[in-house]
């Protein structure tokens, strides 16, 4: 594996693995498309059955833990890894940090900043989905759930609520309660449509992860405008000691520095 930026510069094509699942990963993929000095590969977890196509080679699926990822990096001669996974993909980020350390591959985290409460927001901050269920209380409420299909099962413990659930994929039997309204849609959204949806469905409380970014922020702005409380699930802790940037452009600049040349 490579030890310095100068060694990166000796390579004709820099082999890059992007661990994706975010709009930032997609933006970086588009930035790298057509750049002959880079040879990028985007890896997706496969939780979305119909991901949007991107202009670089893409693989779907896991690696088999830390050891599997470390082996992949060696076999594929990967020279740099960009962790652009979802802010809540804590396991993949830990695996990436450990695998890159094992085989001495440079790692950069592309992490969008979290949302912060603004004047007028009525946030209830929690650290888990179980805490979220408790925060909803015992009295029946109309709840707008925007946490993703995989996070729905804990809410079955509170079947008294009516849940408006928006996901990319069908929820199937992930939330077996009497009153569920489902919407299949994907970001980006806008504040006007989010406000109209909440008014039409008589939403009383919004539940969201603190994912950050602009694509889904309109629900936060709409809740603020309507005076609705928002239960916000805090991000899990990510590995420390990993260099971070907050945009695809900054990640590209990092890659250019490591490669030793710019276009």
């Amino acid at each position: 594996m490579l030890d310095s930026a100068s060694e990166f510069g000796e390579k004709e094509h820099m082999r890059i693995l992007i661990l994706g699942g975010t709009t930032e990963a997609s933006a970086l993929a588009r930035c790298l498309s057509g750049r002959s000095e880079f040879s990028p590969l985007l890896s997706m977890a496969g939780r979305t059955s119909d991901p949007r196509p991107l202009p670089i080679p893409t693989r779907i699926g896991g690696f088999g833990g830390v050891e599997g990822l470390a082996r992949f990096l060696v076999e594929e001669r990967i020279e740099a890894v960009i962790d652009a996974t979802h802010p809540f993909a804590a396991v993949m980020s830990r695996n990436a940090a450990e695998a890159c350390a094992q085989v001495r591959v440079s790692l950069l985290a592309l992490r969008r900043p979290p949302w912060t409460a603004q004047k007028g927001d009525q946030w209830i901050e929690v650290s888990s989905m179980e805490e979220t269920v408790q925060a909803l209380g015992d009295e029946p409420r109309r709840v707008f759930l925007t946490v993703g299909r995989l996070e729905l099962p804990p809410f079955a413990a509170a079947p008294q609520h009516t849940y408006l659930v928006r996901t990319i994929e069908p929820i199937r039997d992930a939330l077996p309660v009497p009153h569920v309204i489902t919407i299949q849609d994907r970001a980006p959204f806008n504040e006007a449509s989010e406000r109209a949806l909440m008014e039409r469905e008589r939403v009383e409380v919004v539940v969201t992860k603190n994912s950050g970014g602009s694509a889904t922020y309109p629900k936060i702005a709409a809740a603020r405008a309507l005076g609705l409380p928002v239960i916000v699930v805090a991000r899990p802790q990510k590995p420390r000691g990993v260099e971070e940037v907050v945009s695809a452009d900054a990640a590209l600049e990092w890659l250019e520095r490591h490669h030793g040349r710019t276009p």
Side-chain angles (χ1 to χ4, degrees), residues 215-232:
T216 61
Y217 185 78
K219 65 188 171 189
I220 303 294
R224 182 191 308 129
L226 293 170
L228 297 178
V230 181
I231 301 176
V232 181

Side-chain angles (χ1 to χ4, degrees), residues 83-105:
D83 175 10
T85 54
H86 191 274
F88 281 76
V91 173
M92 188 67 250
S93 290
R94 287 197 298 269
N95 289 353
E98 292 182 29
C100 287
Q102 276 188 23
V103 297
R104 301 175 67 194
V105 167

Side-chain angles (χ1 to χ4, degrees), residues 239-259:
R240 297 182 178 179
V242 177
E243 187 175 353
E244 296 184 25
V245 295
V246 299
S247 70
D249 287 341
L252 180 60
E253 290 175 5
W254 183 87
L255 288 168
E256 289 171 344
R257 289 197 307 272
H258 278 70
H259 191 272

Side-chain angles (χ1 to χ4, degrees), residues 154-213:
F155 294 92
Q160 71 273 26
H161 304 302
T162 296
Y163 295 102
L164 173 64
V165 181
R166 183 171 64 198
T167 55
I168 297 174
E169 301 289 325
I171 71 167
R172 299 187 178 90
D173 58 354
L175 185 55
V177 295
H179 307 293
V180 180
I181 303 163
T182 61
I183 301 172
Q184 278 184 246
D185 202 356
R186 73 169 80 206
F189 303 106
N190 65 73
E191 183 179 344
S193 63
E194 293 288 72
R195 182 169 178 169
L197 172 64
M198 293 180 196
E199 290 179 318
R200 183 174 67 250
E201 298 295 339
R202 295 175 287 118
V203 169
E204 296 175 87
V205 58
V206 177
V207 176
T208 182
K209 298 175 179 178
N210 194 339
S211 300

